[in-house]
Amino acid sequence: MDIRAEEISRIIRSQIEGFDAQVDVAEVGTVISVGDGIARAYGLEKAMSGELLELPHGVMGLAFNLEEDNVGIILLGDAAAIKEGDTVKRTGKIMSVPVGPAFVGRVIDALGNPIDGKGPIQPAKFNPIEQIAPGIVDRKSVHEPMQTGLKAIDSLIPIGRGQRELIIGDRQTGKTAVAVDTIINQRETGVICIYVAVGQKRSTIAQVVKTLEERRDEAHHRGGRLCLRGRPAALPGPHDRRGPGRALHVARQGRPTQQQDQSRRPCPLHLR
């Protein structure tokens, strides 16, 4: 077999011309310990507080504790899949929550991912988790009443739209029932209701979702507004810490503007 130098030279030249070197530069670290949904990693000197970090097996993390020689990471996923020695990669993005009208009536987790089997949700935008709260002077005073639908409460305890109300009591005393009944009573009033389930069983969350959907359908048949459905959110494990804050970001998207109905105002009810 004859070997021609011209042909070899032409092949090498064509391969060199078609070579496209793509270099992916990323700051990475190594997991040194994992436990109770918290991981510690070294090698992330430029990590920012509240930054999203990428770990193996599709698990995301939140840079929370920045120390001199390591970074404390809140694992937002299956912590059992993360082992010592795994690689951690920076994303350069501060943790944000997707918000928008499309989230009303859906069941999502703490990261904004739908878990109700009704398809993906198209967010209007992303809001950072950590934001400066508006001052007292900039806030509108509570001036409009809100009815819970329970005569004993409405006759004795004045509750206004935009007001925080604490429901306190022992286990199995009906705190969740009061909150769910209040949500159901707002189905035709224009109040946006968001139910956040922290540390509850999936069966309990499923029952709340079923109840709210049944009442929503009744309101629809009577001319009620579909967008006033309660939107439960399942927050397992370490998600509990950030879940209520994310729910408030979704609620803030429903705050009235000059062009919107002033009756659309979130009213948080806290269970303890």
Side-chain angles (χ1 to χ4, degrees), residues 118-141:
K118 298 181 181 180
I121 303 176
Q122 186 64 34
K125 62 178 181 178
F126 288 81
N127 284 344
I129 291 294
E130 301 293 345
Q131 289 186 354
I132 299 177
I136 299 299
V137 177
D138 299 329
R139 303 187 187 190
K140 187 175 182 60
S141 60

Side-chain angles (χ1 to χ4, degrees), residues 28-198:
V28 297
T30 305
V31 177
I32 57 178
S33 66
V34 184
D36 297 330
I38 303 296
R40 290 192 174 274
Y42 75 92
L44 300 173
E45 289 83 2
K46 297 182 180 179
M48 300 177 290
S49 179
E51 179 180 355
L52 272 179
L53 304 176
E54 184 178 348
L55 292 92
H57 309 292
V59 178
M60 301 298 294
L62 176 65
F64 189 73
N65 193 17
L66 304 181
E67 298 185 4
E68 184 176 354
D69 56 348
N70 65 80
V71 177
I73 305 172
I74 298 177
L75 299 178
L76 304 175
D78 186 10
I82 306 302
K83 302 292 188 299
E84 182 179 345
D86 286 344
T87 301
V88 186
K89 183 186 297 185
R90 287 188 59 196
T91 62
K93 300 178 181 178
I94 298 298
M95 189 166 188
S96 302
V97 57
V99 295
F103 285 90
V104 177
R106 299 297 301 272
V107 185
I108 63 174
D109 61 12
L111 295 177
N113 302 316
I115 57 175
D116 53 5
K118 298 181 181 180
I121 303 176
Q122 186 64 34
K125 62 178 181 178
F126 288 81
N127 284 344
I129 291 294
E130 301 293 345
Q131 289 186 354
I132 299 177
I136 299 299
V137 177
D138 299 329
R139 303 187 187 190
K140 187 175 182 60
S141 60
V142 178
H143 68 285
E144 189 174 357
M146 189 191 77
Q147 305 297 328
T148 65
L150 303 173
K151 293 182 179 180
I153 296 178
D154 293 336
S155 59
L156 297 176
I157 305 173
I159 300 177
R161 295 188 181 183
Q163 170 185 333
R164 296 182 180 182
E165 190 70 25
L166 177 64
I167 306 176
I168 189 170
D170 296 330
R171 287 179 173 272
Q172 304 297 325
T173 55
K175 300 186 299 297
T176 300
V178 172
V180 172
D181 288 343
T182 303
I183 292 175
I184 294 173
N185 195 56
Q186 313 309 314
R187 61 186 180 271
E188 299 179 19
T189 62
V191 176
I192 297 175
C193 300
I194 298 178
Y195 182 85
V196 184
V198 179

